[in-house]
């Protein structure tokens, strides 16, 4: 069966509907894996169901989420902005009256912002949230909900009304946060911390993780019911090692975007890659465990070394020791490649420390499992 050719007019069409897509993805890509992913991005933009983006750290999941949000916003252009609604706050005491007034003003402000700025996009990194702060950051809190709660806080979910809440690294959320998210997805409403009433919002949810959700479910750290609620549409982000056909385009695009940060007197310097540098750079990173984020670091690092030169040459690339210490090795990296690329240049204590930390992450601090895996007593 002949393979269907990619319709490149789709890229132009998506660029017209999303500024982020135009800035980042409007190129003549060649990688089959990424061309397929673009088609999935377009399909995800045609509905408001949950989207779960899977992919390694640094592969661009948050950028894709923003593109989907903008594409959906274009599809719903002209839709009348609405207010969130509040139910259950029926008290007649001064505190209840004040809360109703404050939420009413907040709801009006949210609708006004939707009308003037368009549907909002809220990015929340769950891996960086503590278990105690997650509920307040996501669902907000009322004044006096806890010691330092001096004023009403809307929270990310209420602030995303009419738009999109992007839950980055969702598999790292605590069990309590996962249950609260599941309740919202089931009921389209939530209770702020310190409140016994419900707030109903209209918000699409896009989630992402660099972990294998099935493995996390089997290990008991991720709820299967939450997974099925989030994963109406699953998208698998290709790693940089799967996109080497696009390496030159990616590198040139990253260079063009980063050059602006080196402007002097309002004038952007002209920078390009010298002869043979792109081929060398492609080989330089091995399997590129840090993906596009890692490539961006290397290019930024090289730019700082170019001075007045108009081209990045081999001499401007960071040496391998610097390369190792300034890039983040991720779980999906091939350990053989780690040894081949870094063993000659890295101190043994550094490697040992990284190995112990990786064991701790993999087995969540279970000393017995760490010992069994490593053979260390």
């Amino acid at each position: 069966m002949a393979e269907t050719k990619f319709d490149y007019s789709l890229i132009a069409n998506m660029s017209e509907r999303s500024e982020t897509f135009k800035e980042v993805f409007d190129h003549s890509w060649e990688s089959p894996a990424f061309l397929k992913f673009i088609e999935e991005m377009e399909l995800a933009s045609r509905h408001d169901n949950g989207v779960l983006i899977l992919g390694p750290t640094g592969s661009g999941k948050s950028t894709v989420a923003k593109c989907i949000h903008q594409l959906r916003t274009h599809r719903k252009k002209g839709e009348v902005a609405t207010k969130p609604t509040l139910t259950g706050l029926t008290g007649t005491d001064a505190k209840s009256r004040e809360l109703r007034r404050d939420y009413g003003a907040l709801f009006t402000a949210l609708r006004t912002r939707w009308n003037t700025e368009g549907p909002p996009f809220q990015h929340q990194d769950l891996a960086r949230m503590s278990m105690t702060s997650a509920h307040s950051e996501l669902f907000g809190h009322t004044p006096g909900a806890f010691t330092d709660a001096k004023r009403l806080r809307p929270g990310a979910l209420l602030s995303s009304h009419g738009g999109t809440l992007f839950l980055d690294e969702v598999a790292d959320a605590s069990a309590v946060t996962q249950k609260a998210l599941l309740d919202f997805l089931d009921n389209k409403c939530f209770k702020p911390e310190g409140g016994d009433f419900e707030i109903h919002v209209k918000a699409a949810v896009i989630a992402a993780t660099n972990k294998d959700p099935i493995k996390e479910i089997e290990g008991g750290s991720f709820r299967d019911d939450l997974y099925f609620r989030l994963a109406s549409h699953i998208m698998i982000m290709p790693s940089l090692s799967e996109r080497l056909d696009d390496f030159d385009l990616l590198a040139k695009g990253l260079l063009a975007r980063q050059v602006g940060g080196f402007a002097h007197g309002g004038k952007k310097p002209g920078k390009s890659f010298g002869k043979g540098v792109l081929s060398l750079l492609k080989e330089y990173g091995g399997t590129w465990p840090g993906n596009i984020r890692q490539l961006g670091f290397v290019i930024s690092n090289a730019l700082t070394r170019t001075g007045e030169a108009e081209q990045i040459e081999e001499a401007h690339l960071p040496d391998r020791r610097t390369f190792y210490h300034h890039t983040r090795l991720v779980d999906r990296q091939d350990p053989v490649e780690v040894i081949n690329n870094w063993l000659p240049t890295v101190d043994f204590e550094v490697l040992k420390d990284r190995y112990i930390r990786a064991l701790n992450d993999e087995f969540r601090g279970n000393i017995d499992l760490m010992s069994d895996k490593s053979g260390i007593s």
Side-chain angles (χ1 to χ4, degrees):
M1 182 176 175
E3 187 173 319
T4 304
K5 290 187 177 181
F6 180 77
D7 181 5
Y8 280 90
S9 66
L10 177 62
I11 292 178
N13 183 276
M14 294 171 74
S15 293
E16 291 177 359
R17 294 179 286 137
S18 166
E19 285 296 322
T20 301
F21 187 94
K22 181 177 182 179
E23 179 185 355
V24 180
F25 298 128
D26 194 353
H27 298 286
S28 298
W29 307 109
E30 297 181 10
S31 163
F34 191 65
L35 293 175
K36 177 64 177 174
F37 188 81
I38 287 177
E39 293 176 336
E40 287 296 318
M41 208 186 308
E42 167 66 13
L43 291 174
S45 74
R46 297 178 184 177
H47 60 77
D48 294 326
N49 296 330
V51 175
L52 179 61
I53 306 171
L54 308 179
T57 298
S59 57
K61 297 187 293 296
S62 61
T63 302
V64 169
K66 193 164 188 178
C67 287
I68 294 172
H69 164 72
Q70 291 174 353
L71 291 167
R72 286 175 168 179
T73 297
H74 187 276
R75 172 174 59 84
K76 296 182 286 185
K77 195 172 182 179
E79 185 175 309
V80 178
T82 62
K83 290 182 182 181
T85 58
L86 187 152
T87 59
L89 184 55
T90 58
T92 57
D93 57 287
K95 181 179 179 181
S96 296
R97 291 197 304 271
E98 184 177 359
L99 267 180
R100 282 197 297 270
R101 183 198 67 200
D102 290 347
Y103 272 113
L106 178 58
F107 293 171
T108 298
L110 289 172
R111 184 174 64 178
T112 301
R113 186 181 70 176
W114 181 357
N115 279 325
T116 56
E117 302 177 13
F121 178 82
Q122 289 283 320
H123 181 171
Q124 296 293 308
D125 187 346
L126 299 185
R128 296 184 181 182
M129 289 185 190
S130 69
M131 185 170 63
T132 54
S133 69
H135 197 281
S136 176
E137 291 193 41
L138 290 172
F139 303 102
H141 62 245
T142 62
F146 47 88
T147 303
D148 295 325
K150 305 300 183 184
R151 62 183 66 180
L152 184 151
R153 180 176 185 174
L157 192 48
L158 178 54
S159 298
S160 66
H161 174 69
T164 302
L165 175 63
F166 175 49
L167 301 172
D168 206 356
E169 305 305 348
V170 68
D172 290 303
S174 69
V176 173
T177 300
Q178 289 184 42
K179 178 63 168 64
L181 287 171
L182 178 64
D183 289 343
F184 166 72
L185 292 170
D186 282 339
N187 304 308
K188 303 302 181 186
C189 62
F190 63 91
K191 291 182 178 180
E193 189 167 356
D196 58 358
F197 50 88
E198 294 179 334
I199 299 174
H200 301 252
V201 299
K202 178 182 179 182
V205 175
I206 300 176
T209 179
N210 64 0
K211 296 181 177 179
D212 181 342
I214 304 304
K215 183 178 179 181
E216 297 301 306
I217 289 170
E218 292 173 345
S221 62
F222 193 47
R223 297 180 65 112
D224 57 352
D225 44 6
L226 177 59
Y227 167 76
F228 286 116
R229 292 293 290 166
L230 292 171
S232 296
H233 193 130
I234 298 177
M235 302 175 63
I236 302 177
M237 191 83 190
S239 64
L240 180 52
S241 63
E242 297 175 279
R243 298 185 59 192
L244 294 182
D245 290 342
D246 297 329
F247 187 89
D248 290 7
L249 274 175
L250 285 166
K252 290 176 181 177
L254 287 169
L255 175 61
R257 288 197 293 275
Q258 292 190 23
V259 159
F262 293 84
H264 296 286
K267 182 179 180 181
K268 295 181 180 180
K271 299 284 184 179
S272 60
F273 291 101
K275 185 177 180 180
V277 172
L278 283 172
S279 296
L280 178 65
L281 191 57
K282 182 188 294 186
E283 178 186 355
Y284 201 68
T287 58
W288 289 97
N291 292 288
I292 294 173
R293 185 177 299 157
Q294 183 181 16
L295 175 59
F297 157 74
V298 176
I299 293 172
S300 176
N301 191 289
L303 272 174
T304 64
R305 304 166 188 269
T306 57
E308 298 298 321
E310 293 185 355
Q311 290 189 323
I312 294 178
E313 305 291 353
E314 179 179 352
H316 299 135
L317 298 179
D319 62 43
R320 289 191 180 275
R321 184 180 295 272
T322 302
F323 189 89
Y324 172 80
H325 284 291
H326 287 77
T327 54
R328 181 181 176 186
L329 302 182
V330 294
D331 294 339
R332 296 190 182 192
Q333 186 178 11
D334 182 352
V336 175
E337 289 290 344
V338 177
I339 295 172
N340 290 341
N341 289 337
W342 314 121
L343 189 57
T345 63
V346 181
D347 184 83
F348 175 70
E349 291 300 318
V350 173
L351 289 175
K352 184 170 70 173
D353 178 67
R354 171 61 198 179
Y355 178 64
I356 296 297
R357 285 189 289 115
L359 283 173
N360 186 66
D361 290 344
E362 176 69 18
F363 297 106
R364 300 181 181 275
N366 187 312
I367 300 298
D368 292 335
L369 292 177
M370 291 167 64
S371 177
D372 291 343
K373 176 68 175 179
S374 65
I376 302 172
S377 65

